Amino acid sequence: MRDRHLGFVAAAATLLAAAPLSTIFERWTWLIQCTVAVALVAGAATLARSLRAPLWAQLLGMLVTLTLVLTLMFSSGEELLAIIPMPGTFAHFGELMTFAVEDMRSYGVPVPDRVGLQFLTVLGVGSVAILVDLLTVGLRRPALAGLPMLAIYSVPVAVYTDSVHPLPFVIGAVGFLWLLVADNVDRVRRFGRRFTGDGRDVDVWEPSPLAAAGRRLAVVGVALAVLLPSPCPA
């Protein structure tokens, strides 16, 4: 149950980390597609863990699910039963990657809905969702999950010649902090009961003073990350 909760938090944090991509696209089609892909990947991981599958089987299940989602969303017409990929499907994926590269050269931001760019976005966000789930739930290293999440943020930073609006960064940072909080709460609950600094026992339903301090530090940290670069030269 705890791993299931943490897996869904990892999926939600991945979608929040994808918020900076909103500055690239004119419409929100990419977000709907990425939400479906990430939700199904998280569902596949949860199912595998509920069956007590080993880590490699969980990873395989997520990869297969992402492949099926891409096949369904960006079909070539050569699939078996409309969802099982065939060799022509992967050739079509290669063509979509080529289209994406051409669109990057031809269009300025924000770009319209282009099938190649949408395919690349769903593939990228879905892959990040797999890595975040693997690092957070499988390997219990949620701090390392910030690296693939940061890779998403680097896309608009590389595309825009001017500075990127801070709001998407704040949303992504909140998702990462939520992931860290959820993991640490789970670790504390696995360890035993909570205590205050003076040794007083804290029930599960009571707010933790340490957690409250952590939330305040997180707000200050995100605020400083947004405000400090603003007076710095480009």
Side-chain angles (χ1 to χ4, degrees):
M1 179 64 72
R2 292 169 177 172
D3 286 346
R4 184 183 308 170
H5 168 73
L6 195 57
F8 286 129
V9 173
T14 301
L15 290 175
L16 291 176
L21 297 179
S22 62
T23 61
I24 295 180
F25 290 93
E26 288 181 353
R27 306 173 71 179
W28 295 94
T29 308
W30 69 273
L31 180 59
I32 298 174
Q33 294 172 327
C34 289
T35 301
V36 172
V38 171
L40 291 177
V41 166
T46 301
L47 177 61
R49 283 190 284 267
S50 65
L51 297 175
R52 309 289 184 182
L55 185 59
W56 66 266
Q58 298 175 28
L59 176 60
L60 179 61
M62 289 187 287
L63 290 172
V64 170
T65 300
L66 180 59
T67 302
L68 294 178
V69 170
L70 291 172
T71 302
L72 187 61
M73 289 185 178
F74 306 95
S75 62
S76 64
E78 300 183 14
E79 290 77 24
L80 183 62
L81 300 178
I83 193 173
I84 301 177
M86 302 298 288
T89 305
F90 296 102
H92 178 62
F93 289 170
E95 294 175 355
L96 292 178
M97 294 291 289
T98 302
F99 293 157
V101 173
E102 294 175 353
D103 290 339
M104 291 178 193
R105 298 171 179 171
S106 303
Y107 291 88
V109 290
V111 298
D113 285 346
R114 302 286 296 177
V115 64
L117 293 175
Q118 289 173 318
F119 170 80
L120 184 61
T121 302
V122 177
L123 174 62
V125 174
S127 300
V128 169
I130 293 175
L131 289 175
V132 171
D133 186 276
L134 179 66
L135 292 170
T136 302
V137 185
L139 301 178
R140 306 297 301 198
R141 295 292 185 272
L144 294 179
L147 296 178
M149 295 167 70
L150 182 62
I152 299 179
Y153 182 74
S154 66
V155 174
V157 172
V159 171
Y160 274 88
T161 55
D162 299 327
S163 61
V164 180
H165 196 277
L167 181 59
F169 166 77
V170 172
I171 295 175
V174 168
F176 178 58
L177 293 174
W178 181 21
L179 186 64
L180 295 180
V181 168
D183 176 73
N184 279 278
V185 169
D186 180 68
R187 288 177 184 272
V188 170
R189 287 175 177 171
R190 288 173 183 268
F191 177 77
R193 300 186 65 84
R194 299 180 300 164
F195 295 90
T196 63
D198 56 4
R200 184 177 65 85
D201 186 17
V202 180
D203 289 329
V204 175
W205 54 269
E206 289 187 84
S208 169
L210 185 60
R215 285 191 292 269
R216 288 192 289 268
L217 288 174
V219 171
V220 172
V222 173
L224 290 177
V226 172
L227 297 176
L228 284 182
S230 57
C232 298

